[in-house]
Amino acid sequence: MSVEVVFYHLLHKPLELALPELLQKCLERNWKVVVQTGSQERCNALDAHLWTYQDDSFLPHGTKADGYAEHQPIYLTFEQDNPNEAEVRFLVDRAAPPALDPYKRAIYMFDGNDQGAVDEARTRWKEAKSAGFQIAYWQQTEAGGWERKA
């Protein structure tokens, strides 16, 4: 089975608003997820955010500090580990990807207002294409939804 590599181009809503929606969709499909950030600080900030991003709900998740990583439906890390044996890997904040072969889906979320992030996403696109992965590209609409562009 080929890995599907999906690019989400953030333009109007920040990662903190867009990521929880996509994580919820993964949980609805009973997919385990790893979210890899670019730094420990960002990992800690997302950890706190996912507990409080909505007044009436939260996303169940954990980090290395919480223990029981293998039982977490969403595992947050700044490393290339996959202790919960996730099928889906999110890469945010220009995190350096591990080998993507073990995943059903790899998702790059990048800030379209950061030229360095856009350039890096183009590089990751070329890498994924040359590896023979299925590729999709979604661009954020002004309303915060997603429009498939490729």
Side-chain angles (χ1 to χ4, degrees):
M1 177 185 355
S2 180
V3 178
E4 182 181 11
V5 179
V6 184
F7 293 81
Y8 282 94
H9 188 164
L10 298 164
L11 289 170
H12 305 287
K13 282 170 74 173
L15 179 73
E16 290 79 9
L17 295 177
L19 178 63
E21 294 170 357
L22 296 176
L23 291 174
Q24 185 62 48
K25 289 180 188 244
C26 289
L27 292 181
E28 289 167 4
R29 294 178 175 143
N30 292 315
W31 291 342
K32 284 189 173 183
V33 177
V34 167
V35 178
Q36 182 183 342
T37 63
S39 69
Q40 179 67 59
E41 294 76 21
R42 180 65 146 166
C43 184
N44 294 343
L46 280 177
D47 179 28
H49 178 67
L50 292 181
W51 290 118
T52 61
Y53 81 99
Q54 285 185 341
D55 290 339
D56 60 347
S57 70
F58 66 93
L59 285 167
H61 68 280
T63 66
K64 184 186 252 183
D66 298 320
Y68 306 101
E70 66 278 6
H71 300 294
Q72 300 296 341
I74 299 170
Y75 181 76
L76 305 177
T77 185
F78 71 98
E79 299 173 353
Q80 296 185 343
D81 53 341
N82 183 10
N84 67 341
E85 298 181 2
E87 297 101 335
V88 178
R89 184 169 205 100
F90 280 79
L91 296 127
V92 302
D93 298 330
R94 301 166 71 178
L100 300 179
D101 300 285
Y103 299 95
K104 177 184 290 188
R105 186 171 289 173
I107 298 172
Y108 290 95
M109 296 186 77
F110 64 99
D111 182 352
N113 300 305
D114 176 346
Q115 189 58 48
V118 171
D119 292 343
E120 188 166 317
R122 286 185 180 124
T123 298
R124 300 293 181 215
W125 175 282
K126 290 174 189 172
E127 292 170 355
K129 188 171 181 152
S130 70
F133 296 140
Q134 299 173 39
I135 304 171
Y137 167 72
W138 294 80
Q139 188 176 75
Q140 198 172 54
T141 65
E142 284 189 42
W146 299 100
E147 181 179 356
R148 187 170 182 158
K149 297 286 192 169

